[in-house]
Amino acid sequence: MASRILPVSALLAGVALLLLGSGLLGTLLSVRAGLEGFSTTSIGLVMSAYFAGFLLGTRIAPEVIERVGHIRSFAIFAAVAACTSVLHPLSISVWSWALLRVVTGISIVGLFNVIESWLTVQADPASRGGLFAVYMIVNLVAMAAGQWLILASPVESFELFSIITVLFALSLVPVALTRLGQPDVTTVTAVPFRTVWTVAPVAIGGAFLSGIVMGGFWGMGPLFAQRVGLEQAGVALLMSLTIIGGAVMQLPIGHYSDRHDRRRVIGLTAAWGALLAAGTSLLLGYYQHALFPMMFLYGGFAFSIYPLCAAHLSDWLEADQLVDGSGWLLLMHGAGAALGPLAAGLFIGRAGEGSLPLFFGIVLLPLALFAAWHALPRRLDEELLEDQSSSFVPMVRTSPVVLELLAEEEEPEGGFIDPDAELDVEEGFIEDLGSYSPEAATEPGPPDSMPPGR
């Protein structure tokens, strides 16, 4: 495995540096805005602006990459991200920060597009799953580690913004030094939104509502931790524990979903997330230390919803439709994430400083009911498993390009992945593709023939 990872280590190093800076910037701005006296609604607006920029970037980035190539595009986006980070302390106002967050969001998704399309080209079919797993580990570890950099200097100082600028600038170095050939820009099969909604409404609804809670967490989580009395170390611990919970629990939840109706699993995951979030709000007034284990568990369920939705959608799309179909999923998740911090800020302003977990629970409850309603038609387990032609993979929301890493591997020769295949955690992909039937292989199940309730 090491021999397969080494050639792309420069790209992975660039991602790690990028996410260290990005993870620190989001937490720093939320806490710093609170110290500057911004209202919760204003903070929500500022943090929502990042996800609005992220959405814009999914359309802008491919055009830039097609125009100037991958290395130059990475340099452009990294330079812009570095400039925006250092401009925050020079102009402290709601609207200037909101504008800077929009530009940062465009830049970050552009950097993700460059790295992920590059990794896709470099990965041969035998190493795609393992490379995808390593890439996701780098993402989660870097995001969790970035939270602790807030301890490097007082939040009120200029130094933390300087550290972020340095990290963004340094991410250029390994990518600029790589000797890997740049990939060609490719096109994908277009999939109408109507088709995606028809075949997997639970995936679309889940992506949108999970986007609201995840956007609320990233945007307002540090402020919530600060307002309930945690110091800088406590803020870092709470954020990183929630991220680690999401990393640890994705695999068992996802492996369980490979053997059951994925709609029911999404509903159960959302229900447990809502229950834990509501329980966190209730316990907060009596035992503050319960906040840490409760948010660890909550993160495990909340972080799992989006990849469950991606797996559910891929059950019903052909391999050449996966990237464009997942783009719609990312669009819905991003729209929810853009709405999340603003909605959470408005809710906190009315319900009180410690009500953020309660907001998460209120948002996740409709998802649990929606998924349960779509899973009402009772069918044999064997039929449900035959419907699920793909396997869950742990992931975080980056760009739709990353799904190309799995597109070839998830389409075994002539049939479906065996849901009973053993999951090799170390290598990060399904070892045994199992057997298939020629009848199943010749009936891909187009959208018009889908059974009701999908």
Side-chain angles (χ1 to χ4, degrees):
M1 188 62 186
S3 61
R4 297 170 180 172
I5 299 301
L6 189 60
V8 296
S9 58
L11 302 181
L12 296 176
V15 168
L17 291 166
L18 170 67
L19 287 171
L20 280 170
S22 178
L24 172 58
L25 181 59
T27 299
L28 172 61
L29 287 178
S30 183
V31 175
R32 178 69 179 268
L35 294 177
E36 295 291 343
F38 289 15
S39 68
T40 53
T41 303
S42 297
I43 296 173
L45 175 64
V46 169
M47 305 313 288
S48 290
Y50 170 80
F51 297 102
F54 204 96
L55 280 177
L56 289 173
T58 60
R59 301 300 177 189
I60 295 172
E63 296 182 6
V64 175
I65 294 171
E66 184 176 5
R67 180 181 178 86
V68 300
H70 284 69
I71 290 181
R72 288 180 179 178
S73 295
F74 193 94
I76 292 168
F77 291 129
V80 172
C83 290
T84 57
S85 64
V86 80
L87 286 173
H88 283 91
L90 300 180
S91 178
I92 301 176
S93 72
V94 173
W95 295 111
S96 63
W97 278 20
L99 177 61
L100 290 172
R101 291 300 282 163
V102 170
V103 177
T104 302
I106 294 172
S107 302
I108 296 298
V109 77
L111 292 166
F112 278 137
N113 266 271
V114 171
I115 292 294
E116 290 166 3
S117 58
W118 214 334
L119 288 173
T120 300
V121 171
Q122 295 301 319
D124 59 80
S127 66
R128 283 179 180 270
L131 182 57
F132 181 92
V134 171
Y135 177 67
M136 288 300 141
I137 290 171
V138 170
N139 271 262
L140 289 164
V141 170
M143 284 191 294
Q147 310 304 313
W148 292 96
L149 292 177
I150 199 170
L151 303 180
S153 186
V155 174
E156 301 88 344
S157 68
F158 188 86
E159 283 81 355
L160 289 175
F161 290 100
S162 300
I163 291 172
I164 296 165
T165 303
V166 168
L167 289 170
F168 284 157
L170 284 178
S171 69
L172 269 166
V173 176
V175 175
L177 287 175
T178 184
R179 300 176 67 180
L180 294 174
Q182 297 187 66
D184 296 326
V185 178
T186 59
T187 59
V188 297
T189 302
V191 181
F193 179 79
R194 180 180 176 183
T195 298
V196 177
W197 173 259
T198 300
V199 301
V202 174
I204 296 299
F208 178 70
L209 292 174
S210 70
I212 292 177
V213 296
M214 294 310 299
F217 168 73
W218 291 116
M220 305 301 287
L223 178 69
F224 160 74
Q226 180 193 45
R227 293 287 175 85
V228 298
L230 299 182
E231 301 295 335
Q232 284 182 228
V235 173
L237 179 61
L238 182 67
M239 294 294 291
S240 59
L241 276 178
T242 309
I243 296 168
I244 292 169
V248 170
M249 294 181 64
Q250 276 195 43
L251 195 58
I253 291 173
H255 199 35
Y256 178 80
S257 78
D258 289 338
R259 288 161 169 77
H260 297 82
D261 183 350
R262 232 182 290 266
R263 296 166 300 175
R264 296 178 185 174
V265 179
I266 292 171
L268 286 171
T269 302
W272 274 107
L275 183 64
L276 286 163
T280 301
S281 284
L282 291 174
L283 288 174
L284 188 60
Y286 300 97
Y287 186 58
Q288 191 182 64
H289 292 294
L291 181 64
F292 297 102
M294 291 292 284
M295 288 300 291
F296 173 86
L297 294 173
Y298 165 78
F301 289 100
F303 274 75
S304 299
I305 294 173
Y306 179 73
L308 283 172
C309 293
H312 178 48
L313 180 62
S314 66
D315 291 335
W316 296 101
L317 293 181
E318 302 296 329
D320 61 346
Q321 298 175 318
L322 185 59
V323 174
D324 194 59
S326 298
W328 287 116
L329 201 69
L330 178 69
L331 180 67
M332 295 303 297
H333 189 81
L339 177 63
L342 181 58
L346 290 169
F347 184 86
I348 292 172
R350 292 181 175 272
E353 305 293 354
S355 61
L356 182 63
L358 181 60
F359 170 79
F360 296 155
I362 291 173
V363 174
L364 288 176
L365 183 59
L367 174 57
L369 297 175
F370 182 69
W373 181 76
H374 275 277
L376 277 179
R378 304 284 178 166
R379 297 165 57 196
L380 296 176
D381 288 344
E382 291 80 4
E383 295 178 54
L384 293 171
L385 292 176
E386 286 176 3
D387 289 342
Q388 294 184 180
S389 58
S390 65
S391 293
F392 177 94
V393 286
M395 64 183 299
V396 292
R397 175 189 54 81
T398 53
S399 81
V401 179
V402 75
L403 271 298
E404 292 185 25
L405 274 172
L406 296 175
E408 290 186 17
E409 190 174 54
E410 287 192 348
E411 184 71 11
E413 184 179 349
F416 295 143
I417 292 178
D418 181 4
D420 294 322
E422 292 186 2
L423 184 66
D424 187 336
V425 178
E426 179 179 355
E427 292 297 320
F429 57 94
I430 300 295
E431 290 279 37
D432 179 16
L433 295 179
S435 60
Y436 66 93
S437 66
E439 293 79 11
T442 58
E443 296 180 8
D448 291 339
S449 66
M450 294 300 162
R454 283 291 153 199

